């Protein structure tokens, strides 16, 4: 079964803690994206990667970091510098013009 | 810059009613246009797309036509079902990073 998986489904962060959200795809897509969704809002771009070992900041990259060591994987770290991390995080990969999304991770702050 | 505006919700319809969700865009050139659907607690699923002017995208009874004259991509369905209850997002491929630019979403509730 080809697709995009994200884990965990729910993640709780304590004050001052860094947490990492996993995104894996077996679609053999080069480009991958991280978006943040807030209630009643569209999605906003955090980071993207067009190819392995390369990634670029999106519109709201502050307080986040990523890596792209393997084609299949694009993890997102929410650092303590992100003061308002509570949101739904969506990972996507792209084939030609179409982006395909994972099921999302909901991040909550304790 | 590029942007997408879609009608605000929520939209509440009875089963078998006709659905229209308006979407207009501002963009340089003629970007590809998309409708995605999001069910509660889930990620986004591609519903349909159109890659050039006058193209009609269709899927599962939903349709949308790329209208460059009115810069619109309105979503329509002739007869909605309860299972169509979800949030619908209009998007264009036009970010400088090759990303999607999204509207804010329209929540649809269909009552039996």
């Amino acid at each position: 079964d080809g697709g995009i998986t994200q884990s965990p489904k729910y993640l709780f962060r304590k004050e001052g803690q860094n947490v990492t959200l996993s995104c894996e795809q077996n679609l053999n897509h080069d480009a991958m994206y991280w978006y943040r969704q807030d209630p009643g809002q569209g999605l906003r771009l955090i980071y993207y990667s067009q190819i392995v070992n390369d990634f670029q900041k999106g519109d709201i990259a502050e307080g986040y970091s990523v890596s792209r060591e393997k084609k299949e994987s694009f993890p997102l770290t929410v650092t303590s510098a992100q003061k308002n991390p509570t949101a739904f995080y969506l990972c996507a990969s792209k084939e030609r013009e179409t982006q395909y999304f994972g099921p999302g991770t909901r991040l909550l702050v304790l | 810059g590029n942007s997408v505006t879609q009608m605000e919700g929520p939209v509440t319809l009875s089963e078998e009613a006709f659905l229209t969700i308006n979407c207009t865009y501002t963009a340089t050139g003629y970007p590809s246009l998309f409708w995605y659907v999001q069910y509660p607690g889930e990620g986004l699923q591609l519903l349909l797309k159109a890659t050039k002017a006058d193209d009609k995208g269709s899927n599962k009874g939903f349709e949308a036509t790329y209208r460059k004259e009115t810069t619109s991509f309105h979503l329509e369905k002739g007869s909605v079902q309860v299972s169509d209850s979800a949030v619908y997002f209009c998007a264009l491929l036009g970010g400088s990073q090759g990303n999607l630019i999204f509207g804010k979403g329209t929540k649809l509730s269909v009552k039996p």
Side-chain angles (χ1 to χ4, degrees):
Chain A
D1 247 354
I4 302 172
T5 57
Q6 292 186 242
S7 62
K9 186 168 184 173
Y10 295 95
L11 186 56
F12 298 90
R13 193 190 90 163
K14 295 180 182 177
E15 197 77 31
Q17 186 182 39
N18 293 352
V19 292
T20 297
L21 286 62
S22 168
C23 176
E24 303 278 331
Q25 55 102 357
N26 61 4
L27 300 168
N28 201 35
H29 294 166
D30 286 314
M32 297 185 73
Y33 299 80
W34 274 105
Y35 292 90
R36 170 179 170 141
Q37 184 181 21
D38 293 285
Q41 301 294 316
L43 279 67
R44 293 181 291 168
L45 182 67
I46 305 173
Y47 265 96
Y48 68 103
S49 169
Q50 302 281 24
I51 200 166
V52 174
N53 292 323
D54 184 61
F55 50 83
Q56 304 295 329
K57 293 182 179 180
D59 300 320
I60 56 165
E62 185 174 350
Y64 301 97
S65 66
V66 294
S67 63
R68 186 84 189 276
E69 298 176 1
K70 298 187 300 182
K71 189 175 188 177
E72 301 79 17
S73 179
F74 191 40
L76 174 74
T77 296
V78 184
T79 74
S80 57
Q82 172 50 244
K83 298 307 179 189
N84 184 24
T86 298
F88 192 50
Y89 291 86
L90 288 157
C91 177
S93 67
K94 188 170 82 166
E95 178 183 45
R96 297 184 187 174
E97 296 182 314
T98 303
Q99 291 191 22
Y100 301 91
F101 287 81
T105 293
R106 187 164 300 280
L107 177 59
L108 301 164
V109 177
L110 292 176
Chain B
N2 296 338
S3 65
V4 174
T5 303
Q6 60 183 104
M7 65 187 286
E8 300 215 0
V11 174
T12 302
L13 296 173
S14 297
E15 206 164 21
E16 299 183 2
F18 185 86
L19 168 71
T20 299
I21 300 178
N22 291 337
C23 172
T24 57
Y25 65 90
T26 301
T28 304
Y30 303 107
S32 294
L33 301 173
F34 303 82
W35 277 101
Y36 283 87
V37 58
Q38 184 178 38
Y39 299 99
E42 297 185 8
L44 274 64
Q45 298 177 23
L46 177 66
L47 183 58
L48 54 84
K49 67 180 181 182
T51 58
K52 60 183 187 295
D54 299 325
D55 263 4
K56 177 186 282 189
S58 62
N59 186 27
K60 300 181 181 178
F62 291 90
E63 293 182 341
T65 300
Y66 192 137
R67 304 277 189 206
K68 68 178 182 180
E69 304 84 3
T70 54
T71 61
S72 65
F73 193 54
H74 305 321
L75 182 68
E76 296 181 336
K77 187 175 185 183
S79 176
V80 294
Q81 306 300 312
V82 173
S83 57
D84 293 327
S85 298
V87 179
Y88 292 81
F89 289 94
C90 184
L92 67 82
L93 184 66
S96 56
Q97 302 98 335
N99 57 297
L100 292 168
I101 306 294
F102 285 89
K104 291 188 176 182
T106 302
K107 183 175 182 179
L108 170 65
S109 295
V110 181
K111 307 298 184 186

